[in-house]
Amino acid sequence: MAHYLLTASYTAGAWAAQIKNPQDRLEVVKPMFDAVGGSIESAYMSFGENDLVCIVQFPDNISAASIAMTLAAGGGVTSVKTTPLISIEDGMEAIKKAGSLSYTPPGS
């Protein structure tokens, strides 16, 4: 399965709800991930630009996009971003393949 970096931030209303009634949100969203054949490999709360940082797996981009859309539409999180990840081994293969390609930029 493909790995993705999923980041998001809670809305002020979501933070207020969590402070009033703390919940492990991973347990709440896990069934949604399961429904599309995905899984949450690791998840963290973070300081800074994003409140949530997760490494997740999905069988395909459509499944990944469907989760991102559902989270964004729910209204509890903003700035939902899903970034496809590739292994170091695949990255090395891409680098090697790039070395065999040529490109002429516009205006050259």
Side-chain angles (χ1 to χ4, degrees), residues 1-7 33 37-44 53-65 67 81-91:
M1 281 209 291
H3 285 83
Y4 299 83
L5 172 67
L6 178 67
T7 60
F33 279 73
S39 64
I40 302 167
E41 187 173 299
S42 58
Y44 302 90
V53 177
C54 306
I55 302 294
V56 297
Q57 293 184 7
F58 291 107
D60 52 55
N61 287 336
I62 294 168
S63 299
I67 292 293
K81 294 181 182 133
T82 308
T83 306
L85 303 173
I86 62 172
S87 68
I88 296 297
E89 295 80 13
D90 286 349

Side-chain angles (χ1 to χ4, degrees), residues 6 13 15 18 26 29 48-49 51 54 59 80 83 88 95:
L6 178 67
W15 274 123
Q18 277 288 81
L26 290 180
V29 299
E49 185 177 343
D51 298 323
C54 306
V80 178
T83 306
I88 296 297
I95 291 168

